[in-house]
Amino acid sequence: MTKRTIDIIGAIIGLVLTSPLFFIISIFYLFGDSKGPIFFKQVRVGKNGKKFYIYKFRSMLVKAEEKLKADKELYEKYLRNNYKLEPHEDPRITNLGRFLRKTSLDEIPQLINVLKGEMSLVGPRPVVEEELKEYGMEVSKFLSVKPGITGYWQVSGRSEVGYPERVDVELFYVYNQSLLLDIVILVKTVFMVLLRKGAY
């Protein structure tokens, strides 16, 4: 109950403070390669396996997945590389998207997910269904807690820490979760965002 209360208060304060950014960022979706919908939503797996739509500022082209899958060699590399590509070789990311990802501003709309109760401020990152196989026998434990906007993975290197190491990092939070650990992670997240470490 305490964690949920903190989530609600934190999400409301966060949305109020970032509301000017919502307006400014939305302007850039009126032209250039970013033209189109402001938000990107994707099905992720949450607590107890419940699926939900995660919200982000759109950082990719409108038909991004089609463009990626059109290049079979690159798509296979994407799958092998923990569902990631280096920014310079990813044909889906827009110029605005690169900036939003590097500064982590693309994650702000997830405060809406927190208000809806689908996510928490702190927890393991919500994954797409295909990634669950990486957790093997520990998948039920991984899904036993609510996913978060930030978490132990984010402050441990984020995109620089791939599978299978990521499994151990995420499960560390699951087994050691506490309000004190949440506070430590939130503070570290601020520094990670300012230093732009592991974000792409």
Side-chain angles (χ1 to χ4, degrees):
M1 188 177 293
T2 302
K3 185 176 173 71
R4 180 60 185 150
T5 301
I6 293 172
D7 282 344
I8 293 172
I9 294 173
I12 291 172
I13 292 173
L15 286 170
V16 170
L17 292 177
T18 59
S19 57
L21 283 174
F22 272 82
F23 174 73
I24 294 170
I25 291 173
S26 65
I27 294 174
F28 290 94
Y29 288 95
L30 298 175
F31 48 82
D33 61 354
S34 295
K35 188 174 182 179
I38 297 171
F39 299 109
F40 165 79
K41 67 177 185 177
Q42 184 184 49
V43 175
R44 298 289 177 99
V45 184
K47 185 177 181 180
N48 298 323
K50 184 177 180 181
K51 295 179 181 178
F52 68 98
Y53 280 107
I54 192 174
Y55 302 112
K56 292 186 176 187
F57 283 123
R58 183 171 56 84
S59 61
M60 296 185 179
L61 300 169
V62 174
K63 294 184 178 181
E65 294 308 307
E66 291 178 21
K67 189 172 181 66
L68 177 62
K69 290 179 179 179
D71 188 331
K72 291 185 178 180
E73 187 176 333
L74 192 62
Y75 183 64
E76 287 176 5
K77 183 177 181 180
Y78 164 79
L79 295 177
R80 290 195 309 270
N81 197 38
N82 303 313
Y83 313 95
K84 288 275 187 181
L85 289 171
E86 293 291 335
H88 68 273
E89 66 179 348
D90 196 331
R92 303 169 298 169
I93 305 176
T94 63
N95 293 324
L96 172 64
R98 286 188 180 87
F99 171 76
L100 292 176
R101 287 183 170 203
K102 196 66 181 173
T103 56
S104 298
L105 291 174
D106 61 320
E107 310 280 5
I108 292 176
Q110 287 163 48
L111 291 169
I112 297 170
N113 291 118
V114 174
L115 272 184
K116 292 173 67 178
E118 298 161 334
M119 293 177 64
S120 176
L121 292 177
V122 181
R125 279 300 289 170
V127 298
V128 294
E129 191 168 13
E130 290 85 351
E131 289 179 85
L132 290 178
K133 67 178 185 292
E134 303 287 349
Y135 291 84
M137 300 292 289
E138 299 283 359
V139 68
S140 60
K141 186 63 69 173
F142 172 71
L143 294 175
S144 67
V145 300
K146 198 175 291 185
I149 294 179
T150 187
Y152 196 64
W153 176 60
Q154 271 83 348
V155 300
S156 299
R158 199 174 175 179
S159 295
E160 296 172 356
V161 179
Y163 293 115
E165 292 82 8
R166 178 175 167 178
V167 173
D168 295 329
V169 173
E170 295 286 36
L171 290 176
F172 175 87
Y173 176 81
V174 174
Y175 285 109
N176 297 278
Q177 58 184 307
S178 67
L179 289 176
L180 178 59
L181 181 57
D182 282 6
I183 292 170
V184 170
I185 289 172
L186 286 170
V187 172
K188 284 188 174 182
T189 298
V190 173
F191 287 103
M192 294 292 285
V193 170
L194 292 176
L195 295 173
R196 301 184 183 182
K197 279 196 169 186
Y200 64 83

